[in-house]
Amino acid sequence: MWGIVRRNVRGAGGLSSQDLGNYMMGLRPLASAMRNYSSAMKEMTVRDALNSALDEEMAADPNVFVMGEEVNIYSMKAESPLFITKGLLDKYGPERVLDTPITEAGFAGIGVGSAYHGLKPVIEFMTFNFSMQAIDHVINSAAKSNYMSAGQINVPIVFRGPNGPAAGVGAQHSQCYGAWYGSVPGLKVLVPYSSEDARGLLKAAIRDPDPVVFLENELLYGESFPVSAEALDSSFCLPIGKAKIEREGKDVTITAFSKMVGYALKAAEILEKDGINAEVINLRSIRPLDRATINASVRKTNRLVTVEEGFPQHGIGAEICASVVEDSFGYLDAPVERVAGADVPTPYAANLERMAFPQIEDIVRAARRACYRSVPMAATA
């Protein structure tokens, strides 16, 4: 680069060596800034983040293998709905990228058994709705074995796949299992939002000695997010059980996970126009839950809005509410607001489906109520 600059400058006016040196030194900060800008602006889809995390962990540890429906041949073809395992068969072969029949109970059980013997299976459910077929192995075999063996048996297994509502697939394929698995001792439950979350948390899950339920969101797979140079390093790993403050604020705390983090951030932008400075917390982990970060935020803002796509009764928001009431009740200046999915099976019709799950405007209204800024219904008529 510097050779090209020298030729151009000399050809333009014949500067002295000293002037040329000063000119070149002046360009160095600009070039450095351009490099930093380029690095900071690198983007990656959630799908690619998950794929790269799997690839790197399989390369680093020969005990890691992937098993599930269509993770092998179909992951390379256009018919595959997910593409998370794309390219892994060519690199690691059919012994480590195992296609299974449509039998979740079978391959989940095989995975748990292999984990007993020191392997590190990553079990893919095409959707976590199908994990109901395998829940006995997830809970009774994987989650409880370490306790029941007095710590003699570790079960280093990851159960991963899309969780929560997709779009237009009806009640049996559209619900959030965060509260289901989050209530089970012996499991760790992770809920990534961004590409950095996906890479760092999946790596942490695979390296963990205990069973991890890894709840992704299918509608986020194609979304791109900025990824730092640190997150692209093969050694990158996020701590399990630590939330991230995505946006700092002082007037109201909004907790969310998975796709709802994006909705909460958009709601915060709208609230800012009303003079409400919202703090948005990306939970990242449901079990263990980062109660310390949540309570510290509430003690600062004195208000709380919880957001989730799951059912309201016995939900994640209810647990967060209980934690804040137990530890920070004296700091609350308003009742806790819960924004959750409707207490009905997911409708198939698109208009009803939209009404069944939280929207950005629902979060905005809840935060305004918490800040006593809600507009009376008569005023909007």
Side-chain angles (χ1 to χ4, degrees):
M1 173 181 175
W2 300 122
I4 295 172
V5 172
R6 285 191 182 94
R7 287 196 299 271
N8 290 344
V9 170
R10 284 171 177 166
L15 293 177
S16 68
S17 297
Q18 183 175 357
D19 288 340
L20 179 60
N22 292 339
Y23 179 78
M24 301 276 280
M25 290 301 294
L27 283 178
R28 288 184 188 275
L30 175 61
S32 176
M34 288 173 67
R35 282 196 299 271
N36 292 337
Y37 178 79
S38 175
S39 175
M41 290 300 292
K42 182 175 179 59
E43 293 204 345
M44 176 182 281
T45 65
V46 171
R47 177 182 288 109
D48 289 341
L50 294 168
N51 178 269
S52 64
L54 278 171
D55 186 6
E56 290 169 10
E57 293 306 300
M58 291 179 75
D61 189 343
N63 288 323
V64 178
F65 70 95
V66 177
M67 182 163 53
E69 299 157 5
E70 298 186 0
V71 300
N72 190 313
I73 301 299
Y74 285 104
S75 69
M76 301 184 294
K77 298 183 178 181
E79 298 96 310
S80 173
L82 306 178
F83 283 101
I84 304 304
T85 53
K86 184 177 181 181
L88 299 184
L89 174 64
D90 288 340
K91 285 189 176 183
Y92 305 106
E95 291 187 352
R96 295 182 65 193
V97 184
L98 295 154
D99 258 345
T100 69
I102 303 174
T103 171
E104 285 78 11
F107 64 76
I110 291 171
V112 173
S114 69
Y116 285 168
H117 289 275
L119 297 180
K120 297 180 179 180
V122 179
I123 303 300
E124 178 180 299
F125 295 123
M126 190 171 287
T127 162
F128 257 91
N129 299 275
F130 300 155
S131 74
M132 294 296 92
Q133 307 296 321
I135 198 166
D136 180 55
H137 289 300
V138 177
I139 294 176
N140 284 328
S141 300
K144 298 178 182 178
S145 290
N146 185 260
Y147 176 83
M148 294 178 69
S149 68
Q152 296 180 75
I153 299 176
N154 286 105
V155 191
I157 188 171
V158 178
F159 301 99
R160 56 150 296 270
N163 169 70
V169 292
Q172 294 175 322
H173 294 148
S174 284
Q175 63 190 62
C176 176
Y177 286 91
W180 289 59
Y181 290 114
S183 67
V184 180
L187 289 179
K188 294 175 182 175
V189 183
L190 305 182
V191 281
Y193 160 60
S194 66
S195 300
E196 196 158 309
D197 288 358
R199 265 184 65 81
L201 291 175
L202 185 54
K203 284 173 164 285
I206 294 171
R207 297 174 191 180
D208 198 89
D210 298 312
V212 178
V213 171
F214 197 84
L215 302 175
E216 303 153 13
N217 187 288
E218 184 177 342
L219 298 181
L220 287 176
Y221 284 156
E223 292 291 318
S224 293
F225 294 88
V227 178
S228 66
E230 179 190 6
L232 292 172
D233 191 276
S234 61
S235 64
F236 178 69
C237 189
L238 287 173
I240 292 176
K242 182 62 179 175
K244 178 186 178 184
I245 298 177
E246 295 280 354
R247 186 185 196 275
E248 293 190 358
K250 61 183 179 62
D251 296 326
V252 60
T253 297
I254 303 175
T255 64
F257 61 91
S258 193
K259 189 178 74 170
M260 290 294 102
V261 176
Y263 281 31
L265 290 169
K266 290 176 182 176
E269 293 175 4
I270 295 171
L271 291 166
E272 190 171 24
K273 297 174 183 177
D274 296 339
I276 298 172
N277 189 0
E279 181 151 294
V280 177
I281 297 178
N282 172 7
L283 295 178
R284 281 183 168 173
S285 175
I286 288 175
R287 187 179 187 100
L289 185 65
D290 189 356
R291 301 171 193 273
T293 294
I294 296 168
N295 278 279
S297 178
V298 170
R299 292 182 182 194
K300 176 177 66 173
T301 66
N302 310 116
R303 293 170 175 84
L304 172 64
V305 176
T306 69
V307 186
E308 62 186 306
E309 291 182 297
F311 301 126
Q313 186 161 326
H314 310 303
I316 308 301
E319 178 64 25
I320 293 172
C321 178
S323 175
V324 168
V325 168
E326 290 166 359
D327 297 336
S328 305
F329 180 76
Y331 292 85
L332 288 171
D333 287 344
V336 175
E337 293 279 348
R338 285 194 296 156
V339 180
D343 199 22
V344 297
T346 302
Y348 177 73
N351 58 333
L352 296 179
E353 182 184 60
R354 188 181 190 280
M355 295 172 64
F357 295 107
Q359 304 299 321
I360 296 168
E361 55 266 29
D362 298 321
I363 304 171
V364 170
R365 282 194 292 265
R368 285 172 176 164
R369 286 194 300 269
C371 295
Y372 302 109
R373 303 279 190 89
S374 58
V375 179
M377 293 296 292
T380 63

